[in-house]
């Protein structure tokens, strides 16, 4: 058969692949359309022959050799026979509506679609000089008894559908290539959907129990090896089959099959025709909407006839996005009416989804259209206003505004040059450019810095003293230092920048006095906490290349203050963090160095900024965590805790009036006796600061407000007797652990970051021993442990010289303990206390006096000075101690205490331990 005349009607050639369907191509205007489906192979289709066709993805098939045979159900692909040595003559020309003679090369063939043909084989002649084909009709009912079972993982394949399938299992691929070598490209396989939806599609299926028993018999049209992925098959479904048994499992699953025939039906049945017409109507409705398979469904309307309901149900069902189980039900359905019903249900669901999709698409289009219309009208309005002179250009207005600000300030020459350069750059940028906003922000910061703007300092010492004393009691060292700076300014004419660090326990007023200092100097105040700060950019600023970049806090302080000489407080400097963004403590070295901060370089500003006129105040609780280079740049002023008398004065003069005002009380209806305030401080608030005292006073006043508001009484008086009824049981019911200290127990004094505290050293005989030894407990640090060992040696030596017959320490195991074992303790200042406790135990002598001591002892008995004398003395005073022993080198610290504290405490100075012994045991 050399030629095939054009038929009056054409059958559909639906082709799809396993994962996604092929695309339809419509032929509308051109007489003959040529399209590539593979590399180097093309098909030429006359316009009068076909209206539309379905092709598979070209990249899934490789045609590297002449096609030997080709099978397709209900369709025929054939090359036209022609002479290879001469061009077609006029006598061979066909009419316009017939097929035109087109030269056929080795890589070109004509495509005709022939209806009513179940299966046709197109074979190309093995003779290289011949381009003709032989057509072989095959029996559709003749199928193999057993086939290779290929698992389909996503969607079942329907009869009449051609699709490429990729196989990546190496063993499976090798076996199929062997079958191709035996049977050629035309052999049958079974396509069966897996029962479970597996994640991996390269899974090996070796059991028929893992696949559905009804699948699709498919003819392999082409096998192509694709290294290293495996192979690709082009298969065409020919009919439904049922698995009747398993032939073998290795190397691939082979099953025995039998063909399934549709149940008999009457093609002229009105119900079946109604279903088919409704399916076609639904497809037309879907085509009008934005559906995923709109083009494929549109091709069905023009190619698929309603004479074959089985074919119509299969094709339309395969074009839906239904789930795998629903499609498998249709594949397994042999009743035509039932199959049409299920297919129609799927199409109705697709129609609803398409309508929802169209609604969403319409809403989005309306929203976008509205936004575009609004933007268009806004641009028109802007142009109209500009033409009428009602509005100037935004960029011109911005440049004019910055130029006016530049004329009002007095920047240095380098800063002015940068500003002018940035203005030129801004004038050349478009408003929509990303760099436009960056340049605009940079210019805003450049013109917001108070270049050369300073507040006039107040040089009145008396006024400054009144401001500092108004809200702060005590703090003598801090106030004197500020008044000295003002006095120097009076003589010099101006106050230069200073860098101070207030170190002390919490709640003593370090932060609040910063505002008072700014008011006394008549300067602006800016505070920011650096506690936990781990990003250098907070100090030095971000580089402008980053989105959202900003200058550092110091530049922000200048902008906020509006002057170049504000009081800047760096709160909690001892709690600086350190992270992958850098070390802020190192960045502060430049800020707090008077020789460098005159040309501070912020990363964002990128020009020198003068910080030398700023008055820096830092606060800390523990300087041991501050880096030594940073401490070296600051003038450290110790702010000690308050004595009881100071706390009473602060409470009565500051905290109580403020608390009454906040609670809506007056002095007439809420009277607190002085003895009640003393008891409140002594039994509830022994910490060095007054923060907890403020909380307790507020609690007391709330109780009073409640009584007055509920008409329990019209006036409340608080005394020592009824204090507990307002704020509960005392936190410190006793001044000391021991009313009378036994042998081996001595009170010491310690310093902590929260202020001073008292601690007891306890010694106890454990057992006798030929060689004396010392046991230590109480969570002592390494320094304190060494101090205890030194104290034990000093005590043994001192006792042997004092009383040679006393061998207690030489022949007993002694246990030394410091109470409150959960609290870490360290330091050498308990040396003389430990020696005294060991001697008290060895000599069996009690210490009857209300005595406490502090001082480091050496092996030779020297008493060395220690720190925190003021805090320790205040702690002893709070505990009711009347006498203290301190090193003689700390006499200067004692003399710095206020006179009232010294009058209420008797002090003994010691240079060696002999002095300590005479003070403690001399009167005994």
């Amino acid at each position: 058969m050399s030629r095939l005349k054009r038929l009056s009607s054409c059958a559909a050639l639906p082709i799809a692949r396993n994962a996604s369907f092929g695309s339809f191509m419509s032929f509308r205007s051109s007489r003959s359309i040529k399209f590539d489906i593979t590399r180097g192979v093309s098909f030429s289709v006359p316009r009068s022959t076909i209206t539309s066709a379905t092709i598979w993805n070209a990249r899934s098939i490789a045609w590297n050799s002449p096609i030997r045979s080709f099978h397709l159900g209900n369709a025929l692909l054939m090359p036209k026979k022609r002479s290879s040595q001469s061009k077609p003559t006029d006598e061979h020309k066909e009419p316009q509506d017939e097929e035109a003679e087109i030269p056929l090369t080795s890589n070109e063939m004509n495509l005709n679609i022939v209806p009513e043909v179940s299966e046709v084989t197109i074979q190309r002649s093995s003779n290289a000089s011949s381009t003709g084909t032989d057509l072989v009709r095959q029996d559709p009912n003749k199928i193999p008894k057993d086939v290779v079972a290929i698992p389909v993982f996503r969607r079942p394949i329907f009869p009449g559908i051609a699709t490429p399938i990729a196989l990546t299992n190496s063993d499976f691929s090798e076996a199929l290539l062997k079958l191709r070598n035996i049977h050629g490209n035309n052999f049958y396989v079974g396509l069966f959907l897996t029962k479970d939806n597996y994640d991996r599609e390269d899974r090996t299926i070796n059991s028929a129990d893992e696949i559905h028993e009804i699948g699709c018999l498919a003819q392999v049209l082409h096998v192509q090896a694709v290294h290293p992925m495996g192979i690709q098959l082009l298969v065409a479904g020919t009919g439904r089959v049922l698995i009747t048994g398993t032939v073998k499992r290795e190397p691939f699953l082979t099953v025995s099959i039998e063909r399934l025939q549709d149940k008999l039906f009457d093609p002229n049945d009105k119900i079946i025709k109604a279903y088919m017409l409704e399916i076609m109507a639904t497809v037309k409705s879907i085509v009008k909407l934005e559906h995923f398979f709109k083009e494929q469904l549109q091709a069905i309307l023009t190619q698929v006839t309603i004479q074959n309901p089985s074919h119509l149900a299969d094709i339309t069902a395969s074009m839906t996005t239904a789930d795998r189980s629903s499609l498998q039900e249709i594949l397994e359905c042999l009743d035509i009416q039932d199959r049409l019903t299920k297919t129609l249900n799927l199409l109705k669901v697709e129609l609803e989804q398409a309508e929802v999709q169209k609604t969403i698409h319409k809403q989005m289009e309306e929203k976008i259209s509205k936004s575009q219309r609004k933007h268009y009208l806004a641009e028109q309005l802007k142009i109209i206003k500009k033409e009428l002179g009602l509005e100037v250009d935004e960029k011109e207005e911005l440049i004019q505004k910055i130029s006016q600000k530049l004329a009002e300030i007095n920047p240095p020459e380098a800063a002015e040059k940068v500003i002018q350069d940035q203005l030129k750059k801004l004038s050349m940028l478009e408003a929509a450019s990303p760099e436009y906003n960056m340049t605009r922000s940079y210019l805003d910061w450049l013109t917001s810095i108070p270049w050369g703007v300073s507040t006039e300092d107040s040089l009145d010492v008396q006024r400054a003293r009144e401001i500092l004393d108004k809200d702060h009691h005590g703090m003598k060292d801090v106030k004197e230092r500020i008044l000295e700076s003002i006095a120097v300014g009076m003589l010099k004419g101006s106050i230069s920048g200073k860098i101070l660090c207030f170190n002390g326990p919490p709640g003593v007023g370090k932060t609040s006095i910063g505002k008072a200092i700014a008011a006394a100097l008549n300067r602006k105040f800016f505070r920011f906490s650096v506690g936990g700060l781990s990003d250098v950019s907070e100090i030095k600023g971000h580089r402008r290349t980053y989105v959202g970049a900003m200058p550092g806090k110091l530049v922000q302080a200048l902008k906020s203050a509006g002057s170049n000489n504000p009081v800047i407080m760096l709160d909690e400097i001892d709690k600086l963090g350190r992270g992958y963004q850098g070390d802020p403590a190192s960045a502060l070295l430049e800020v707090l160095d008077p020789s460098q901060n005159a040309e501070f370089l912020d990363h964002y500003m990128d020009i020198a900024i003068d910080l030398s006129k700023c008055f820096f105040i830092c606060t800390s609780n523990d300087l041991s965590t501050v880096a030594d280079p940073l401490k070296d740049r600051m003038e450290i002023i110790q702010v000690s805790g308050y004595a009881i008398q100071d706390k009473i004065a602060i409470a009565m003069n500051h905290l109580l009036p403020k608390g009454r005002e906040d609670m809506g009380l007056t002095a007439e209806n809420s009277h607190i006796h002085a003895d009640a305030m003393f008891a409140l401080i002594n039994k509830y608030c022994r910490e060095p600061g007054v923060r907890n005292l403020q909380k307790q006073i507020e609690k007391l006043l709330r109780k009073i407000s409640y009584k007055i508001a509920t008409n329990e009484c019209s006036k409340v008086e608080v005394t020592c007797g009824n204090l507990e009824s307002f704020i509960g049981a005392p936190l410190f019911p006793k001044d000391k652990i021991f009313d009378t200290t036994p042998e081996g127990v001595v009170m010491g004094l310690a310093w902590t970051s929260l202020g001073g505290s008292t601690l007891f050293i306890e010694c106890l005989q454990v057992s006798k021993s030929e060689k004396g030894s010392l046991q230590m407990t109480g969570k002592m640090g390494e320094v304190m442990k060494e101090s205890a060992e030194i104290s034990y040696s000093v005590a043994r030596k001192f006792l042997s010289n004092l009383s040679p017959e006393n061998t207690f320490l030489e022949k007993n195991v002694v246990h030394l303990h410091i109470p409150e074992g959960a609290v870490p303790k360290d330091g050498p200042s308990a040396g003389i206390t430990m020696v005294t406790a060991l001697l008290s135990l060895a000599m069996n002598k009690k210490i009857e006096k209300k005595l406490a001591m502090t001082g480091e002892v050496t092996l030779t008995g020297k008493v060395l000075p220690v720190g925190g004398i003021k805090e320790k003395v205040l702690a002893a005073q709070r505990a009711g101690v009347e006498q203290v022993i301190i090193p003689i080198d700390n006499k200067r610290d004692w003399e710095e205490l206020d006179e009232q504290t010294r009058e209420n405490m008797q002090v003994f100075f010691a240079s060696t331990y002999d002095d300590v012994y005479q003070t403690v045991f001399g009167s005994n």
Side-chain angles (χ1 to χ4, degrees):
M1 183 174 180
S2 61
R3 304 193 51 179
L4 185 70
K5 295 295 183 180
R6 179 178 60 83
L7 300 178
S8 58
S9 60
C10 298
L13 179 59
I15 298 175
R17 57 172 126 178
N18 187 20
S20 61
F21 296 97
S23 59
F24 282 82
M25 299 187 63
S26 298
F27 304 90
R28 296 189 177 96
S29 59
S30 62
R31 172 164 180 77
S32 180
I33 299 177
K34 184 182 293 184
F35 57 95
D36 294 334
I37 63 169
T38 60
R39 181 179 302 172
V41 177
S42 64
F43 286 81
S44 179
V45 184
R47 172 69 180 86
S48 60
T49 302
I50 188 170
T51 57
S52 59
T54 319
I55 65 168
W56 49 87
N57 192 334
R59 296 180 183 177
S60 300
I61 312 170
W63 302 84
N64 296 324
S65 61
I67 299 175
R68 188 169 163 274
S69 61
F70 205 92
H71 299 264
L72 276 181
N74 291 341
L76 167 66
L77 278 85
M78 60 168 290
K80 294 179 62 178
K81 188 174 180 181
R82 60 174 290 274
S83 173
S84 61
Q85 298 182 358
S86 64
K87 296 183 179 180
T89 61
D90 295 339
E91 61 184 9
H92 293 131
K93 290 184 179 178
E94 303 259 339
Q96 293 297 321
D97 290 335
E98 298 294 323
E99 295 179 359
E101 290 287 345
I102 301 176
L104 181 67
T105 65
S106 59
N107 290 328
E108 184 177 288
M109 60 180 65
N110 285 348
L111 172 66
N112 285 286
I113 297 181
V114 183
E116 309 301 334
V117 179
S118 296
E119 295 197 9
V120 177
T121 301
I122 304 174
Q123 294 182 336
R124 175 168 291 185
S125 174
S126 59
N127 187 355
S129 64
S130 175
T131 59
T133 58
D134 297 326
L135 303 183
V136 181
R137 180 178 295 273
Q138 295 185 356
D139 186 1
N141 295 319
K142 185 178 179 181
I143 65 171
K145 295 181 180 180
D146 53 75
V147 293
V148 176
I150 296 180
V152 181
F153 293 91
R154 297 186 184 181
R155 299 163 57 94
I157 306 300
F158 286 86
I161 302 297
T163 179
I165 300 177
L167 301 177
T168 58
N169 187 292
S170 58
D171 296 334
F172 204 0
S173 302
E174 186 177 353
L176 288 177
L177 288 174
K178 290 181 180 179
L179 285 177
R180 183 193 65 175
N181 296 333
I182 296 173
H183 301 287
N185 277 334
N186 302 306
F187 59 94
Y188 287 93
V189 294
L191 303 178
F192 300 94
L193 184 68
T194 58
K195 292 182 178 179
D196 296 327
N197 190 8
Y198 299 107
D199 294 334
R200 295 181 56 187
E201 297 189 2
D202 59 349
R203 179 184 176 92
T204 302
I205 303 296
N206 292 323
S207 174
D209 295 335
E210 299 184 52
I211 56 178
H212 289 278
E213 62 180 2
I214 296 179
C216 180
L217 179 66
Q219 189 175 11
V220 178
L221 305 178
H222 186 73
V223 181
Q224 178 67 40
V226 182
H227 298 287
M229 297 173 57
I231 63 172
Q232 286 184 340
L233 307 178
L234 178 62
V235 298
T238 61
R240 290 170 169 81
V241 291
L242 172 69
I243 296 176
T244 59
T246 301
V247 177
K248 60 179 180 179
R249 299 177 184 270
E250 298 293 341
F252 44 81
L253 180 63
T254 303
V255 296
S256 58
I257 60 172
E258 67 176 26
R259 182 183 287 274
L260 295 177
Q261 300 292 341
D262 294 336
K263 293 181 179 180
L264 297 177
F265 66 96
D266 182 8
N268 297 320
D269 185 84
K270 294 182 179 180
I271 297 178
I272 291 179
K273 285 189 175 182
Y275 270 113
M276 295 177 69
L277 292 174
E278 181 63 22
I279 287 176
M280 297 298 288
T282 305
V283 170
K284 289 181 180 180
S285 300
I286 295 176
V287 167
K288 295 178 182 179
L289 303 174
E290 296 295 330
H291 189 264
F292 186 72
F293 299 115
K294 178 179 179 179
E295 295 180 358
Q296 290 89 331
L297 292 172
Q298 190 171 8
I300 290 175
L301 295 175
T302 59
Q303 296 184 18
V304 178
T305 66
I306 62 174
Q307 303 302 323
N308 191 343
S310 174
H311 188 58
L312 176 64
D314 290 342
I315 294 299
T316 52
S318 66
M319 295 298 173
T320 64
T321 58
D323 57 274
R324 63 201 308 269
S325 59
S326 301
L327 294 176
Q328 180 65 26
E329 288 181 8
I330 295 178
L331 182 65
E332 294 177 356
C333 184
L334 301 179
D335 185 271
I336 296 300
Q337 183 175 336
D338 191 18
R339 191 188 304 171
L340 289 171
T341 302
K342 293 180 179 180
T343 301
L344 182 59
N345 290 336
L346 294 184
L347 289 174
K348 290 297 183 181
V349 173
E350 292 294 317
L351 179 60
E352 292 179 4
Q353 292 178 351
E355 289 175 347
V356 173
Q357 180 183 355
K358 182 179 180 180
T359 302
I360 295 174
H361 181 70
K362 184 178 180 181
Q363 290 175 352
M364 294 300 298
E365 279 190 341
E366 288 178 354
K367 186 176 181 181
I368 295 173
S369 176
K370 184 178 180 181
S371 176
Q372 290 176 344
R373 181 172 178 272
K374 184 177 180 181
H375 177 73
Y376 177 72
L377 292 176
E379 290 297 322
Q380 280 189 328
L381 182 62
K382 186 185 296 184
I383 294 173
I384 293 171
K385 287 184 176 181
K386 186 176 179 180
E387 291 295 328
L388 295 176
L390 301 177
E391 182 178 313
V392 297
D393 183 70
E394 180 183 355
K395 185 167 65 175
E396 294 179 359
E397 185 180 11
L398 177 63
I399 293 175
Q400 184 179 0
K401 180 180 177 181
I402 293 175
S403 301
Q404 290 177 354
K405 290 179 67 176
L406 180 61
E408 296 172 358
I409 61 178
N410 184 26
E413 183 178 350
E416 186 173 1
K417 183 178 182 301
V418 172
I419 294 173
Q420 294 292 354
D421 291 343
Q422 292 297 318
L423 279 173
K424 292 180 182 178
K425 179 181 177 181
L426 183 67
S427 63
M428 294 184 291
L429 291 173
E430 293 294 334
S433 171
E435 198 171 355
Y436 177 84
N437 288 326
M438 293 176 59
T439 306
R440 175 180 179 175
S441 178
Y442 183 43
L443 279 169
D444 182 60
W445 278 103
L446 283 171
T447 55
S448 297
I449 295 179
W451 304 103
V453 179
S454 303
T455 56
E456 186 178 354
D457 292 328
S458 174
L459 303 179
D460 189 343
V461 175
Q462 185 61 34
R463 173 182 173 275
R465 181 181 286 109
E466 292 175 357
I467 293 174
L468 295 175
D469 290 339
K470 179 180 179 181
D471 295 322
H472 294 83
H473 181 87
M475 306 185 75
K476 179 181 177 183
D477 294 342
V478 176
K479 293 177 180 179
E480 285 185 354
R481 181 63 183 85
I482 302 303
L483 294 177
E484 288 170 0
S485 297
I486 295 176
V488 172
M490 292 176 62
L491 300 177
K492 187 179 177 182
S494 63
I495 301 175
S496 58
K498 299 296 179 184
I499 304 169
L500 307 179
C501 178
F502 299 157
N503 181 64
V508 295
K510 301 185 300 296
T511 302
S512 61
I513 200 171
K515 294 182 180 180
I517 292 173
L521 296 175
N522 194 32
R523 293 190 179 191
K524 301 291 185 178
F525 179 74
F526 184 87
R527 171 197 168 273
F528 71 97
S529 176
V530 296
L533 189 68
S534 60
D535 191 355
V536 174
S537 299
E538 293 292 328
I539 305 296
K540 298 278 288 182
H542 303 85
R543 300 192 183 276
R544 293 198 304 277
T545 53
Y546 299 121
V547 176
M550 290 184 64
K553 287 290 186 181
L554 298 167
V555 176
Q556 295 178 37
L558 295 180
K559 179 182 177 181
S560 176
S563 63
N564 62 1
N565 62 340
V567 175
I568 300 177
M569 173 167 282
L570 308 179
D571 213 0
E572 310 292 351
I573 198 171
D574 58 323
K575 300 173 184 63
L576 274 171
R578 185 174 184 175
Y580 67 91
Q581 299 98 334
D583 184 10
S586 300
L588 284 175
L589 295 178
E590 179 186 3
V591 177
L592 301 180
D593 192 336
S595 62
Q596 298 182 41
N597 61 12
E599 295 182 351
F600 172 71
L601 188 64
D602 185 273
H603 289 159
Y604 182 87
M605 305 305 297
D606 205 23
I607 54 175
I609 298 175
D610 186 8
L611 299 178
S612 61
K613 297 180 180 180
C614 298
F615 198 108
F616 289 99
I617 299 176
C618 305
T619 66
S620 65
N621 300 127
D622 186 6
L623 286 174
S624 62
T625 60
V626 181
D628 290 336
L630 192 57
K631 283 191 289 188
D632 183 61
R633 284 164 168 77
M634 300 182 294
E635 181 181 346
I636 299 172
I637 300 176
Q638 294 292 338
V639 183
S640 304
Y642 295 108
I644 293 179
Q645 293 79 7
D646 294 331
K647 284 188 175 182
I648 293 175
I650 293 172
M652 302 301 289
N653 298 329
H654 300 283
L655 302 181
L656 190 57
K658 184 178 182 301
R660 284 180 177 142
E661 182 180 353
D662 294 340
M663 305 299 171
L665 299 173
T666 62
E668 288 74 20
N669 60 8
S670 58
H671 180 65
I672 300 177
H673 290 260
D675 58 346
M677 186 61 70
F678 179 84
L680 177 65
I681 295 170
N682 191 40
K683 294 184 178 181
Y684 296 87
C685 310
R686 287 191 177 182
E687 69 283 343
V690 294
R691 190 169 289 136
N692 186 46
L693 176 59
Q694 181 181 6
K695 294 177 184 178
Q696 295 295 338
I697 291 176
E698 290 175 352
K699 179 180 179 180
L700 176 61
L701 293 175
R702 283 197 301 270
K703 299 289 185 182
I704 296 174
S705 298
Y706 179 79
K707 287 181 176 293
I708 296 175
T710 55
N711 297 322
E712 291 185 22
C713 56
S714 60
K715 181 180 181 181
V716 177
E717 290 192 9
V718 180
T719 62
C720 287
N722 62 0
L723 181 63
E724 290 188 18
S725 64
F726 288 96
I727 57 177
L731 299 177
F732 306 98
K734 294 184 179 180
D735 292 337
K736 297 187 295 183
I737 299 177
F738 302 99
D739 293 331
T740 303
T741 55
E743 296 85 353
V745 179
V746 180
M747 181 188 291
L749 298 174
W751 180 90
T752 67
S753 60
L754 302 178
S757 65
T758 59
L759 77 162
F760 285 90
I761 306 295
E762 299 178 342
C763 293
L764 181 68
Q765 178 187 4
V766 177
S767 62
K768 292 186 176 296
S769 173
E770 294 182 0
K771 295 178 65 176
S773 61
L774 180 68
Q775 297 178 357
M776 296 171 286
T777 57
K779 204 169 185 179
M780 293 186 286
E782 291 298 325
V783 176
M784 182 168 272
K785 287 181 179 179
E786 292 180 358
S787 179
E789 292 174 357
I790 293 172
S791 300
Y792 180 68
S793 300
V794 171
R796 289 184 61 172
K797 180 66 174 178
F798 191 88
L799 185 61
S800 64
N801 293 336
L802 181 66
S803 179
E805 67 279 1
N806 190 336
T807 59
F808 178 86
L809 296 177
E810 298 175 1
K811 295 184 178 181
N812 287 280
V813 177
V814 178
H815 188 171
L816 186 147
H817 175 69
I818 305 176
E820 299 182 16
V823 180
K825 310 168 189 70
D826 204 358
S829 62
I832 61 174
T833 313
M834 293 178 181
V835 175
T836 305
L838 290 168
L839 291 178
S840 173
L841 179 64
M843 296 186 300
N844 197 24
K845 290 184 177 181
K846 298 180 182 180
I847 300 177
E848 302 289 348
K849 305 174 183 179
K850 293 182 178 180
L851 176 69
M853 61 187 70
T854 182
E856 179 183 357
V857 67
T858 67
L859 275 175
T860 57
K862 293 286 186 179
V863 178
L864 301 182
V866 293
I869 292 297
K870 183 176 181 180
E871 288 79 6
K872 292 176 180 179
V873 171
L874 292 175
Q877 187 183 54
R878 289 193 295 268
V881 175
E882 298 175 353
Q883 297 176 341
V884 292
I885 300 176
I886 61 176
I888 193 170
D889 292 336
N890 288 116
K891 187 175 182 179
R892 177 178 60 86
D893 299 317
W894 170 263
E895 292 174 351
E896 290 180 355
L897 295 174
D898 59 272
E899 186 176 348
Q900 188 176 10
T901 302
R902 287 182 291 168
E903 287 179 355
N904 296 331
M905 185 77 63
Q906 185 179 5
V907 64
F908 299 94
F909 298 105
S911 59
T912 63
Y913 187 73
D914 291 336
D915 299 331
V916 178
Y917 182 81
Q918 291 299 324
T919 303
V920 177
F921 301 107
S923 59
N924 292 341

